[in-house]
Amino acid sequence: MAKMRRWYRAGYVLTIGAALLAACSQNGGDPGKAAGSETAPAPETGFPEPVTLHYYTNDNTKWLEIEQKLIASKFPNVTLKVTLEKEQKMDQLAAVGEIPDFLSFSLGSFWDLKNYALVSDMTPLMKKYKFDESRFIPGVMDGVRSYSDRGEVLLLPFELNSNVLFYNKGIFDKFGVTYPQDGMTWEQISELARKVSRIEGGTEYKGFMFQHQNLVWKNQLGLPFVDPKTNKAAINTSEWKKWLDVMGGFYFLPNNDYKSLTFYKEQTIAMWTGPNIVSSVVEAAASNGLNWDVTTLPQFADNPSGGTQMIAPFYAIPPTSKHKDEAFRLIAYLLSEEVQVAKARQGKVPIVNSPAATQVYAADLPGVAGKNMGAFLKDKIGKPAVVTPYDGIAKDVFYKTALGKDFYTRAKDVNTILRETEEEINRKIAEMPRK
């Protein structure tokens, strides 16, 4: 009983009805019809009988509210019981036996969700409701299927966490250096960073910093962390050495050693890349006068067509959901052009083929007039590396060793770093309990 009481304190029920309908400006839409398709039939609007669906998510409140309003418009007979991951962890969820009907999480949480039996193959539901996967932009479904060795669809991503290069125009103006431009290489960015990495008036300006997770975990070279055939680390290679020479090399520029800083707060970083932080940048600019813009994500000089591997939060349906059909229909609607347009206006990069969504990208964000917002839509999805259940272990070790203090202080050379990283990954994999 104590566990059950904890559950009901953590979960909360949101009834979607007339009040939200009045607040919602989006109407219509078609969850069964692919963007740009004339063949997929439209299912009936709404459910004939009231139904309560349990939705588990680690999304933030702003985007959750948008989803709620849009669902209210389309499915007035649906009541959502929403549980936030910050209030109910996955192990607690499994312990009390309250399995959700559908969920949304960031991609890095996939293996945890799979281990707790919270994802299932949605292929039968896609066929049943004639869900046309060609609605997605190229590369998405390749990325989806890389998470199953049997070609299953265990997740359906709903937006792209596209990478761009943010830059502080004020720093470039201060030092009289030309701004970065679309289509540059990492090697060119390194030379540019060298010109603005300096100490001026007691303030240390960093030429370029990057959030490790996106650029390492889903690197542009399509490099795997673990060999899926042997379940051994695949780190100690010439390809990873090349990646580390270029990207790790930024830390060796004068005055550009690694420090934990925020691009939009301290205003001492000239260029930065990582997840899409445009909403935070817009808010910062309004409060602290940050003068910013963006360019397309740079590429490696000898790999000009290599896009970032898919980085996207996703929807999934647990195998024991009591309402799989209803949950899938909601997911299909949330992947419709109507919803993609609504989110694109707020700065979420659409994941479907939709000129209507791309044309209004960031239209409702203040302070973006004259900015190079089209850069967010140009990063192609690269060929995915095969993922394994051990990638999380490899990633954590890589962050601590290959991009850790021994590396950026030059305490050890690159070859030694990669060899020791691989050995540590293999040791940790060997320690994992086998099912």
Side-chain angles (χ1 to χ4, degrees), residues 118-254:
L118 292 175
V119 300
S120 65
D121 184 15
M122 288 182 277
T123 303
L125 290 165
M126 293 169 68
K127 292 179 179 177
K128 180 176 181 178
Y129 290 101
K130 298 180 173 60
F131 182 93
D132 186 357
E133 63 184 52
S134 69
R135 71 176 63 188
F136 290 113
I137 64 175
V140 169
M141 291 308 296
D142 288 337
V144 166
R145 289 193 168 91
S146 71
Y147 282 82
S148 169
D149 56 5
R150 295 183 291 181
E152 299 167 305
V153 179
L154 301 175
L155 57 104
L156 285 174
F158 57 87
E159 68 192 39
L160 284 178
N161 198 340
S162 290
N163 290 304
V164 294
L165 184 77
F166 288 87
Y167 65 95
N168 186 323
K169 298 174 73 173
I171 294 177
F172 282 88
D173 291 343
K174 180 180 182 68
F175 299 128
V177 177
T178 304
Y179 302 146
Q181 300 176 358
D182 285 356
M184 296 185 76
T185 66
W186 287 118
E187 291 81 358
Q188 290 172 322
I189 292 298
S190 179
E191 290 305 309
L192 201 57
R194 187 184 299 273
K195 297 177 181 179
V196 289
S197 296
R198 60 177 76 181
I199 298 175
E200 184 80 15
T203 299
E204 187 176 47
Y205 294 93
K206 301 294 184 183
F208 172 71
M209 296 277 111
F210 64 101
Q211 189 258 23
H212 293 164
Q213 187 173 12
N214 279 24
L215 291 190
V216 180
W217 188 231
K218 295 295 181 181
N219 62 85
Q220 293 166 298
L221 298 179
L223 303 179
F225 283 84
V226 176
D227 185 332
K229 295 180 180 179
T230 64
N231 289 328
K232 298 286 187 180
I235 294 294
N236 192 11
T237 66
S238 60
E239 292 84 1
W240 269 113
K241 182 178 184 298
K242 168 190 170 182
W243 187 94
L244 201 56
D245 282 340
V246 174
M247 300 308 299
F250 281 102
Y251 295 144
F252 301 151
L253 296 177

Side-chain angles (χ1 to χ4, degrees), residues 301-315:
D302 56 354
N303 190 44
S305 61
T308 308
Q309 297 174 69
M310 185 185 73
I311 305 172
F314 63 89
Y315 297 117

Side-chain angles (χ1 to χ4, degrees), residues 266-379:
E266 293 89 352
Q267 296 199 45
T268 57
I269 301 176
M271 296 177 287
W272 181 91
T273 193
N276 183 353
I277 58 169
V278 65
S279 296
S280 298
V281 169
V282 165
E283 292 173 4
S287 62
N288 64 21
L290 174 66
N291 186 9
W292 64 279
D293 210 333
V294 294
T295 70
T296 56
L297 188 70
Q299 298 182 351
F300 289 86
D302 56 354
N303 190 44
S305 61
T308 308
Q309 297 174 69
M310 185 185 73
I311 305 172
F314 63 89
Y315 297 117
I317 298 176
T320 55
S321 167
K322 297 178 182 179
H323 302 286
K324 287 185 178 180
D325 285 70
E326 293 90 341
F328 182 79
R329 287 186 54 200
L330 256 64
I331 290 173
Y333 172 62
L334 292 169
L335 289 169
S336 68
E337 184 172 58
E338 175 187 358
V339 176
Q340 292 283 297
V341 166
K343 288 188 172 182
R345 296 185 67 90
Q346 297 291 327
K348 292 294 184 179
V349 178
I351 202 164
V352 300
N353 288 304
S354 171
T358 56
Q359 286 170 8
V360 298
Y361 178 70
D364 292 344
L365 290 180
V368 301
K371 306 293 185 186
N372 183 27
M373 301 306 288
F376 285 93
L377 308 172
K378 294 179 180 178
D379 187 24

